[in-house]
Amino acid sequence: MAARRRNYGSPCCTYAQADTLRLTLPQAEQQFIQRNFALLAQKYNVNIADAAVQQAKLWYNPNLFVETNLYNGYSGKILPYGHNSDLYNPTAGVFNVQIQQIVSLTSTRSKLVRLAETNVALQQAAFQDLMRTIRYQLTQTFGNLAAEQQKLQLLQLQGQQLETLLAAFRAQLKLGVIAPYEVTRLELEQKNQESNVTALQGQISQDEATLRVLLSENGSAYIIPVQELNLSGFKNLIGLSQLIDQAYANRPDLQITDKQLTYNQENLVYQKALATPNLTLGADYQHVGGPFPNYVGVQALIDLPIRNKNQGNIQAARLSIDQAKQGQNLGRLQVEQDVLTAYQHYQQAVSLQSKITPEYLQSIQDISKNATEDYTRRVIDLVSFIDKIRAYKDAQLNLIDMNNQLFQSGQQLNYATNSNVF
């Protein structure tokens, strides 16, 4: 379960007394699947398509026709009901009853059912593709937010160290030990640091809002992504050709192009069936109003396909098949290029990560540790001190960016193949 608590002073949190929600990426994905409004809305399209299948399976309703005379010329009555004593000189009502049923000569109902069932599969693939797209947006935002919060902690910690140093130097300034310029220069550096913190907090607020929308979190809950990044898991990866094969098998947008082609093929079969008109069969009974008193007859009705043979819709269906085939070709090319691009980004991220050695990390820590001590002991001047703390800050921010780049490259491969590569 995700951890939620009240936060009254977290260095990451820009909202006073805001709910803090700590989430790992699997927890965020689970909540997203269960609660994301865009997914829930798209799911209705699948249900609507299912309802269309049920509708397509229904038979045509029979048609009932009833007719009676409004006025009887023999008796001068309006709506004359009653018993006719003389069938050849009626003084009461005359009525006619007909019942008709439409019969398909080419099984159009079963073809319409298959067309509707194909649409269900099409909508299901569209749902999966939307889930894939929004999940990728979720993982991107999750990784960026985690990196931004790490940067914020770093900048705030440096700000606290600068404030402590400034307090000591202000005291020394009153004693006349140091020059006013040194305090002013440190104050300028502090203002620059505060400006960077403010800009970063603005970006964090935007990503927090995006993540709350994706997770359907109301209010101003402050979400803290808990990243469980195992860098060793990024070293072993299957080959590019296998990744492309996985994408061909798993990508729902590619499945949409396949389903669209199938749908258009089924539609062509259905449109050809519509070229043959339906047959209407019926029976009718006429009391008094027919050629003889109690007339019973049978009926057969059919349109004559002389001018309209549904040829326009048939031609459009054929063209739609050709169009869908081009969509298939484009889809496969797009999948291949997506995987290739993601694979290249991954290789670049791994290459950068491999250059980070324990000696490099130790040297960064030494810069921070020695800078304040050397400046306090006047081993280095103010310009060198500021240069060193900036170098330390830039190095730490770069490390955070490199880790996030590696994480994002893994998520991009997951997105490009629609599989859990990482």
Side-chain angles (χ1 to χ4, degrees):
M1 288 292 293
R4 186 189 293 269
R5 62 183 176 85
R6 300 295 282 183
N7 187 301
Y8 295 95
S10 170
C12 292
C13 188
T14 58
Y15 303 101
Q17 300 183 5
D19 281 337
T20 299
L21 180 62
R22 303 179 67 88
L23 285 172
T24 63
L25 183 56
Q27 289 172 336
E29 288 180 331
Q30 182 180 10
Q31 180 170 331
F32 145 77
I33 291 173
Q34 293 173 346
R35 298 172 54 179
N36 183 266
F37 292 125
L39 281 184
L40 295 176
Q42 180 66 26
K43 188 67 180 292
Y44 281 105
N45 286 337
V46 179
N47 298 334
I48 292 171
D50 279 328
V53 173
Q54 300 303 316
Q55 180 63 37
K57 291 179 179 180
L58 300 178
W59 289 89
Y60 296 109
N61 287 325
N63 177 269
L64 177 65
F65 171 81
V66 178
E67 180 185 21
T68 186
N69 58 319
L70 176 65
Y71 174 75
N72 190 313
Y74 293 104
S75 62
K77 295 181 180 180
I78 297 176
L79 294 176
Y81 294 107
H83 177 67
N84 287 306
S85 56
D86 187 353
L87 294 179
Y88 297 98
N89 188 22
T91 58
V94 175
F95 60 89
N96 177 19
V97 179
Q98 298 180 13
I99 188 167
Q100 297 177 335
Q101 176 66 55
I102 297 176
V103 178
S104 174
L105 299 179
T106 53
S107 302
T108 54
R109 188 175 63 89
S110 62
K111 294 177 176 60
L112 183 59
V113 170
R114 287 198 297 272
L115 185 64
E117 289 173 343
T118 305
N119 187 51
V120 172
L122 188 60
Q123 294 301 326
Q124 289 172 338
F127 174 79
Q128 294 297 326
D129 189 47
L130 179 64
M131 180 186 294
R132 163 180 166 268
T133 301
I134 303 180
R135 177 185 281 138
Y136 181 52
Q137 184 184 3
L138 172 70
T139 57
Q140 279 186 310
T141 307
F142 184 94
N144 289 336
L145 186 58
E148 289 158 4
Q149 290 177 354
Q150 292 173 28
K151 291 179 180 179
L152 182 60
Q153 287 181 337
L154 172 67
L155 293 180
Q156 288 178 332
L157 179 60
Q158 276 205 324
Q160 293 170 3
Q161 293 171 346
L162 274 175
E163 182 62 35
T164 302
L165 187 62
L166 265 171
F169 272 45
R170 288 188 182 110
Q172 294 184 31
L173 179 63
K174 292 179 181 180
L175 298 176
V177 178
I178 61 174
Y181 165 75
E182 294 190 66
V183 174
T184 302
R185 186 64 185 85
L186 285 176
E187 287 176 341
L188 290 175
E189 187 65 21
Q190 184 187 46
K191 295 300 180 185
N192 182 59
Q193 191 86 343
E194 291 173 350
S195 177
N196 292 335
V197 168
T198 300
L200 188 56
Q201 286 174 333
Q203 184 60 49
I204 288 175
S205 296
Q206 293 180 13
D207 286 340
E208 286 281 348
T210 300
L211 204 54
R212 283 194 292 269
V213 171
L214 292 172
L215 299 177
S216 300
E217 279 286 339
N218 296 323
S220 59
Y222 190 82
I223 301 172
I224 299 179
V226 181
Q227 253 188 334
E228 301 170 346
L229 186 61
N230 181 11
L231 298 182
S232 62
F234 285 83
K235 295 181 180 179
N236 298 320
L237 180 67
I238 60 178
L240 177 60
S241 60
Q242 292 174 286
L243 290 172
I244 294 176
D245 289 340
Q246 281 190 4
Y248 284 155
N250 299 331
R251 282 275 291 259
D253 54 337
L254 198 57
Q255 294 171 11
I256 288 176
T257 63
D258 294 339
K259 300 299 181 185
Q260 187 64 56
L261 176 60
T262 303
Y263 180 87
N264 292 343
Q265 290 170 339
E266 293 288 351
N267 184 50
L268 177 60
V269 174
Y270 177 66
Q271 295 300 330
K272 287 182 177 180
L274 291 180
T276 301
N278 292 327
L279 174 66
T280 301
L281 299 177
D284 67 299
Y285 169 76
Q286 297 183 31
H287 177 67
V288 178
F292 40 84
N294 292 297
Y295 170 80
V296 178
V298 293
Q299 300 173 341
L301 174 66
I302 189 171
D303 292 337
L304 298 179
I306 299 174
R307 297 185 179 87
N308 183 359
K309 299 180 181 180
N310 205 37
Q311 56 267 41
N313 289 332
I314 292 173
Q315 178 63 17
R318 287 197 178 101
L319 294 174
S320 296
I321 291 175
D322 295 336
Q323 183 185 50
K325 289 178 180 178
Q326 297 304 319
Q328 272 188 323
N329 295 334
L330 175 60
R332 292 183 69 85
L333 178 61
Q334 185 66 57
V335 166
E336 178 185 333
Q337 292 303 310
D338 286 348
V339 176
L340 178 60
T341 301
Y343 186 78
Q344 291 172 342
H345 288 172
Y346 162 78
Q347 296 285 7
Q348 293 164 1
V350 170
S351 176
L352 285 174
Q353 195 70 223
S354 65
K355 297 176 182 179
I356 302 175
T357 63
E359 293 78 16
Y360 174 74
L361 295 176
Q362 184 60 47
S363 66
I364 293 175
Q365 296 301 323
D366 291 342
I367 291 175
S368 174
K369 178 181 177 181
N370 298 333
T372 303
E373 294 178 358
D374 291 345
Y375 181 55
T376 304
R377 291 187 288 110
R378 297 296 174 172
V379 176
I380 59 175
D381 59 11
L382 179 60
V383 174
S384 297
F385 169 70
I386 292 177
D387 181 66
K388 284 191 174 184
I389 62 174
R390 284 184 176 178
Y392 170 76
K393 179 190 69 175
D394 292 342
Q396 291 289 356
L397 294 178
N398 187 49
L399 285 175
I400 294 173
D401 285 336
M402 289 172 66
N403 285 337
N404 185 42
Q405 185 176 351
L406 183 60
F407 171 80
Q408 297 290 355
S409 69
Q411 297 307 316
Q412 187 180 5
L413 267 174
N414 287 347
Y415 174 69
T417 61
N418 195 39
S419 57
N420 293 325
V421 179
F422 298 104

